[in-house]
Amino acid sequence: MTGTVEPLDLIVLDGGVQSVAVRLLSPTPQYDYYDAEIVIRSDFVNATVRTGFNADDLDDWAALLEAVEESDAEADETDDVFTANWPVEGRTAYLTFIAEDPYVVEVHDAPSTQISVRVPIDLKAEWLARARERLVTVRRVLGV
C-alpha cells in the first residue's frame, strides 16, 4: 500500500469525556519507522504530538495488552500497579500506560519539549477486545 491514506487509529483509549489516541499517518515507513501522532482530547487540554513506531513496537503493544489483561485479572490479589511505556521511551514521544482505577495514560514529548500530560480514562470493559481488533487492522494495512 502506498500513497496517502486517511489516518488510521492504532490505539484509542476513550472514556467518553477524555481520550488518548495514536494515529498512523502513513502506511509507508521511513527508515523502518511509521509516521504517527498522539492525540489528546479533554475539556482541559487538546493536543497532538508527532511520534513514530516500527514493526517491533506493534509486537510490544500486543504484549502490553496481554499484560494489562493479566494485571486486571490479578488486581484483587496484589497491590502492584501495572505500568508500561509504548513505544520505547527515549526515541520519540511515547505513552506511559498505568493500570489504575481509572486507567491513566501519560503522554510524554520526551526528546523534544519534555512536556508530559497525565490523562485519567475510565475505560469500558470491552476496550481490550477493540484494542486487539485495531492492532490486527493496522498490521493488515502495513503488511506486518
Side-chain angles (χ1 to χ4, degrees):
M1 179 176 220
T2 59
T4 306
V5 296
E6 290 295 316
L8 177 64
D9 289 334
L10 167 60
I11 299 171
V12 176
L13 305 169
D14 189 343
V17 176
Q18 44 213 27
S19 66
V20 174
V22 177
R23 286 197 180 116
L24 172 67
L25 298 176
S26 172
T28 306
Q30 295 207 351
Y31 307 104
D32 295 326
Y33 285 88
Y34 297 96
D35 191 27
E37 65 184 1
I38 301 171
V39 181
I40 304 168
R41 296 284 176 251
S42 76
D43 288 341
F44 178 67
V45 65
N46 293 298
T48 303
V49 62
R50 292 300 273 260
T51 192
F53 62 88
N54 61 28
D56 290 340
D57 291 326
L58 294 176
D59 294 338
D60 291 346
W61 178 241
L64 188 150
L65 294 174
E66 291 298 321
V68 167
E69 186 171 47
E70 290 174 17
S71 172
D72 284 352
E74 298 171 358
D76 293 336
E77 301 171 16
T78 179
D79 291 334
D80 295 339
V81 175
F82 174 78
T83 302
N85 294 329
W86 189 93
V88 175
E89 175 183 356
R91 68 170 193 248
T92 187
Y94 67 96
L95 307 176
T96 298
F97 187 88
I98 305 165
E100 293 180 321
D101 187 16
Y103 291 97
V104 174
V105 179
E106 295 176 348
V107 179
H108 303 270
D109 185 19
S112 183
T113 66
Q114 305 275 323
I115 294 173
S116 296
V117 177
R118 185 175 170 92
V119 184
I121 303 174
D122 187 16
L123 296 173
K124 307 302 179 224
E126 64 278 354
W127 82 269
L128 273 168
R130 287 194 309 254
R132 288 184 176 112
E133 289 169 9
R134 281 188 191 88
L135 178 57
V136 166
T137 300
V138 168
R139 282 181 164 160
R140 187 179 66 244
V141 167
L142 300 178
V144 295

